[in-house]
Amino acid sequence: MTGRHLARPAADLHTHTDFSDGRDPLAEVVAAAGAAGLGTVVVTDHVRADSRYLPAYTAAVRAVRAGAPLRVVCGVEAKILDTGGRIDLPADLAGVEHVALADHRFPLPDGPAHPEQVRALLATGALTPARARRLLLAATTRAVTRLPAGRTAHLAHLFSVLPKCGLDEADLDPAELAPLARACRARGVAVELNEKWRCPSPRTAAALAAAGVRLAAGSDAHRAAEVGRFDWAAGALAGARPAALAGSRR
């Protein structure tokens, strides 16, 4: 992309604060987003079904947005649990406006598996690479359909779990993405090009964009200084299909 003027994403859909595993306080993350020239920052701290910090978190987001120079969205990041598409979310999501759906573990029929467990299954032949890819796609597609109503959502670092398991996203047939693309279109769910993990691949992003799925950028920042930095994602977005970009400006 050297020598080309790239569209600059105006929104960062994936950031973390010290409410979960980020290093810096919420106010510093929001200030960094403003300094980066963003129009929108989505805060997506990690939750599980048993998380108890949400009331304090949502109240803090409401307080900081009052004086923020940009739009601040209160989101959470939650993992896909199994091939049925269950999501590891608290029952009470009061104040939560956005969900980042993530593949932190590999969703198997009986629950989330650590990548090393999947590697072992692949090594013994109990699981084939092709079946593993099908399971992940099915789980992700079903999870999109099970997202809580009344909230916006996006897929965070799609397929980041594949290389952790010794699998290659390049082996995925773009035609296999069709059910996921339909689900995303139906629910208005964007797919994030993740700066930290550099996924999904530009090839996958282009296939999803061609199928009408919105693309967006997420820094996955765990430090305020990383918010709105898209050294890889801006080029990947531009290469996918400019007409499909979500939240960008020139």
Side-chain angles (χ1 to χ4, degrees):
M1 296 296 175
T2 302
R4 289 182 57 188
H5 176 74
L6 300 178
R8 180 182 179 186
D12 190 337
L13 268 63
H14 192 160
T15 65
H16 296 282
T17 78
D18 60 2
F19 269 99
S20 61
D21 62 347
R23 188 192 72 173
D24 299 315
L26 172 64
E28 290 186 21
V29 170
V30 172
L38 297 177
T40 299
V41 63
V42 186
V43 187
T44 52
D45 277 310
H46 296 278
V47 294
R48 297 178 178 177
D50 59 358
S51 294
R52 297 289 180 264
Y53 75 86
L54 277 181
Y57 173 65
T58 57
V61 174
R62 287 196 301 273
V64 79
R65 69 162 48 126
L70 73 167
R71 179 171 173 251
V72 182
V73 177
C74 184
V76 295
E77 182 178 3
K79 68 177 175 291
I80 304 167
L81 289 170
D82 56 28
T83 51
R86 289 189 305 121
I87 307 169
D88 199 3
L89 280 169
D92 186 358
L93 290 175
V96 174
E97 303 162 314
H98 185 92
V99 176
L101 192 59
D103 56 357
H104 293 139
R105 290 288 183 265
F106 200 96
L108 292 176
D110 57 352
H114 189 279
E116 289 303 319
Q117 180 183 346
V118 177
R119 282 180 179 270
L121 293 171
L122 291 166
T124 63
L127 181 66
T128 66
R131 176 163 169 74
R133 292 191 299 272
R134 288 196 299 270
L135 289 175
L136 181 58
L137 273 168
T140 307
T141 301
R142 290 167 184 158
V144 168
T145 69
R146 296 181 67 158
L147 283 162
R151 291 163 180 85
T152 56
H154 79 274
L155 291 178
H157 50 67
L158 180 64
F159 301 140
S160 69
V161 75
L162 287 175
K164 298 173 188 176
C165 298
L167 297 167
D168 192 343
E169 184 187 333
D171 293 330
L172 190 113
D173 185 338
E176 295 178 280
L177 296 168
L180 178 60
R182 285 195 297 270
C184 288
R185 289 199 312 269
R187 290 298 307 271
V189 173
V191 169
E192 163 199 299
L193 270 71
N194 184 280
E195 181 70 26
K196 180 180 178 181
W197 296 104
R198 300 196 169 191
C199 66
S201 69
R203 172 175 173 264
T204 295
L208 289 168
V213 177
R214 293 186 303 116
L215 303 179
S219 65
D220 204 350
H222 285 66
R223 296 170 179 262
E226 299 166 348
V227 175
R229 291 185 59 178
F230 301 121
D231 298 333
W232 173 84
L237 282 168
R241 191 173 77 179
L245 302 190
S248 63
R249 63 167 176 258
R250 290 191 182 276

